[in-house]
Amino acid sequence: MRTFVTNGLMVRATGRSESDIVCENGRITQVAPRGTLAPADGDTVIDAGGCYVVPGAVDAHVHMQLDTGATVSSDTFESGTIAAAFGGTTTIVDFAEQRAGGNVLESFEQRMAEAAGQCVIDWGLHQVLGGVTPQALVDARSLVEREGVSSIKLFMAYPGRLYSDDGQMLRALQMCADSGMMAMVHAENGLAIDVLIEQAVAAALEHGAVDVGHPHFARGAGATREGERQVA
């Protein structure tokens, strides 16, 4: 079964063109100037007249059904990827989260099981290292060959759950340099932020505040700049 997309204005990295596209088994097999191809009997023909035809977007940072311990993100892998498809995003990359004291490979397998069979578009996972130990680094490196996972995420915030100190950060970044993996860093000074939150909550309560459940105003730009400076 082929799909024939015609009459649209195709947009890609090299520019725009009046082109027709043939898809077979979920893959683009032909792109040709408009009028040089014709649909075959049995083809599904999509008339894209008046529309742009663009490559599917890749959202490399999403959090589907993420349990933070205090709340769970609103979208499941199913509902989130359906919404993504309607918006033109055809690939997402979520996160497998190893927290302090946890096992990297177990966290990866658990997240894989949560997503399997739910996603209506292509998907993959980054691996969060919330407890950088010698074994965690070995396990993270093994994911490159085992699963094709080529990226990790490190946190300078959330002590006791995801936080890495300077030594742990260095070891993880050295592993990335040696293995070719990419590291993402949540660059905030988590220890300073916790002090500011504690102080802000105390001040709010002192002045009669009833709800201080979301003291995000304590996450000042200074704490973020400090984290970015440390990474640099």
Side-chain angles (χ1 to χ4, degrees), residues 31-86:
V31 176
R34 185 177 301 165
T36 60
L37 297 175
D41 291 341
D43 282 356
T44 298
V45 179
I46 298 175
D47 185 351
C51 299
Y52 293 110
V53 180
V54 299
V58 177
D59 191 339
H61 189 134
V62 303
H63 296 294
M64 304 299 177
Q65 58 192 71
L66 172 64
D67 185 354
T68 67
T71 187
V72 179
S73 58
S74 58
D75 273 307
T76 65
F77 279 101
E78 182 181 25
S79 67
T81 54
I82 290 173
F86 271 100

Side-chain angles (χ1 to χ4, degrees), residues 83-182:
F86 271 100
T89 295
T90 56
T91 302
I92 61 166
V93 190
D94 206 290
F95 295 82
E97 189 173 283
Q98 174 238 13
R99 298 183 181 181
N103 180 277
V104 169
L105 299 182
E106 288 178 2
S107 70
F108 181 82
E109 294 298 333
Q110 178 180 345
R111 195 62 166 161
M112 286 283 288
E114 291 173 359
Q118 283 208 64
C119 296
V120 303
I121 60 175
D122 293 332
W123 60 280
L125 296 174
H126 306 291
Q127 179 63 52
V128 173
L129 297 185
V132 179
T133 64
Q135 186 60 50
L137 294 176
V138 170
D139 290 343
R141 181 193 291 261
S142 74
L143 288 174
V144 178
E145 294 185 0
R146 287 177 42 146
E147 303 289 348
V149 175
S150 59
S151 51
I152 64 168
K153 185 170 185 180
L154 302 165
F155 283 81
M156 301 173 70
Y158 311 118
R161 183 161 61 95
L162 295 170
Y163 172 79
S164 291
D165 63 30
D166 288 353
Q168 291 170 316
M169 291 277 293
L170 176 59
R171 292 183 186 279
L173 293 175
Q174 287 174 332
M175 183 272 291
C176 287
D178 185 55
S179 65
M181 299 184 80
M182 177 182 291

Side-chain angles (χ1 to χ4, degrees), residues 61 153-158 162-164 166 169 173 183-193 219-232:
H61 189 134
K153 185 170 185 180
L154 302 165
F155 283 81
M156 301 173 70
Y158 311 118
L162 295 170
Y163 172 79
S164 291
D166 288 353
M169 291 277 293
L173 293 175
M184 295 173 285
V185 179
H186 181 108
E188 291 183 299
N189 189 321
L191 300 178
I193 287 171
R219 307 177 79 90
T224 300
R225 286 196 297 270
E226 166 63 14
E228 292 168 350
R229 182 196 64 77
Q230 286 181 289
V231 173

